[in-house]
Amino acid sequence: QSALTQPPSASGSPGQSVTISCTGTSSDVGGYNYVSWYQQRPGKAPKLMIYEVTKRPSGVPDRFSGSKSGNTASLTVSGLQAEDEADYYCSSYAGTNIPVFGGGTKLTVL
Amino acid sequence: EVQLLESGGGLVQPGGSLRLSCAASGFTFRDYAMSWVRQAPGRGLEWVSGISGSIGSTYYADSVKGRFTISRDNSKNTLDLQMNSLRAEDTAVYYCAKSLQRVAARDFDYWGRGTLVTVSS
C-alpha cells in the first residue's frame, strides 16, 4: 500500500493548461482503469473531479480531463482559472478493495 | 441532497479508544460502499477503511488493521469506525466518504466535513 507519486507543486497562468502526473506501479495505476482525481481547497473536504481515468462527475467543468499511460496517470486542467487553485490528489484501486492516494500537488494560478 | 455528518472526534491519550460515527442522508445508503479517509495536519489523504453496501464486506489499510473496526447500520443510515490502541500517528481529520460503487471502496463522490481526532498525552 505505497502512496502514488505526484509532484509537490504545479503552476500556470490564467488561460493556460497544466498537467499533473501521478505515478504508480503495475499493481495499482498500471493494473486497473480505476484512477480518480480529487480537488481540495483549504479547509474544505475533497471533491471528486475525475473517476475511472477519464470520466467526469456531473457538474465538473470539461476543462478537467484525465488520461493514463502505463503506470502514470495525468490530470490536465485547460483554460486555467483562479478558482482552480487548490491541492489535487490522485487515487488508484490497488486490488482487494484497497485504494491508494498520491501525496498531493499544490496547483498555483499565477 | 446528499449529506454526510461525522461526529465523535476529540482528544484521546495514546492507547485509548474512540468511536466515530457518520450520519448519512439524501441517498439510498444500503446501495453504496462507504469509507473513512483521514488527513493528518498539513499532510495528504490516506484511505483508512471501507465497507461494501448491502453485504457489508470490510477492508482496512495495513496501518490500522487489527486496531480499527468499520461497521454500518443500513436501517439507521449510519457508518461507524471503532478505533482502539490509538497512536500519535492516528491524529488526523477523519472524513466519511461515499463511493460511486456498490462494492468497491473507490471513486468517492461525496464527503463529510470531517471530525478531528487528536491522540496525545
Side-chain angles (χ1 to χ4, degrees):
Chain A
Q1 299 176 8
S2 299
L4 307 176
T5 300
Q6 297 182 235
S9 64
S11 63
S13 299
Q16 288 186 332
S17 292
V18 64
T19 297
I20 299 171
S21 64
C22 170
T23 302
T25 69
S26 58
S27 297
D28 39 61
V29 175
Y32 309 92
N33 287 323
Y34 295 141
V35 175
S36 51
W37 290 89
Y38 300 87
Q39 177 192 70
Q40 186 180 33
R41 296 193 173 105
K44 300 295 187 181
K47 174 185 177 182
L48 180 65
M49 305 301 284
I50 296 286
Y51 68 101
E52 292 179 2
V53 180
T54 61
K55 298 178 180 178
R56 276 188 312 275
S58 174
V60 172
D62 60 6
R63 302 184 294 103
F64 291 84
S65 62
S67 63
K68 191 187 86 166
S69 178
N71 296 337
T72 298
S74 298
L75 171 72
T76 298
V77 186
S78 305
L80 266 178
Q81 299 182 4
E83 66 199 49
D84 299 332
E85 187 160 293
D87 293 329
Y88 289 85
Y89 294 91
C90 64
S91 179
S92 174
Y93 183 72
T96 57
N97 266 305
I98 303 290
V100 61
F101 282 95
T105 297
K106 182 176 181 61
L107 174 61
T108 301
V109 181
L110 302 171
Chain B
E1 179 191 4
V2 172
Q3 290 192 346
L4 300 171
L5 185 60
E6 302 96 338
S7 60
L11 175 63
V12 61
Q13 292 187 339
S17 298
L18 210 57
R19 189 176 185 89
L20 305 183
S21 291
C22 172
S25 61
F27 65 103
T28 306
F29 183 71
R30 66 178 178 273
D31 283 351
Y32 296 94
M34 299 292 295
S35 284
W36 290 96
V37 179
R38 68 185 180 185
Q39 186 169 33
R43 305 294 296 273
L45 301 172
E46 179 189 14
W47 177 83
V48 172
S49 181
I51 185 167
S52 64
S54 53
I55 295 177
S57 300
T58 57
Y59 319 102
Y60 298 94
D62 287 345
S63 58
V64 306
K65 198 174 295 182
R67 300 188 299 124
F68 290 10
T69 302
I70 190 171
S71 61
R72 65 190 297 161
D73 186 333
N74 289 338
S75 68
K76 297 181 179 178
N77 291 354
T78 56
L79 175 74
D80 289 342
L81 185 69
Q82 177 66 42
M83 304 185 295
N84 299 330
S85 302
L86 283 162
R87 308 165 179 166
E89 54 264 36
D90 296 318
T91 294
V93 173
Y94 284 72
Y95 293 102
C96 168
K98 170 190 170 292
S99 289
L100 272 172
Q101 322 297 332
R102 178 183 294 268
V103 175
R106 58 180 174 86
D107 307 332
F108 307 115
D109 60 340
Y110 286 95
W111 299 63
R113 293 186 176 183
T115 186
L116 177 61
V117 172
T118 303
V119 184
S120 175
S121 55

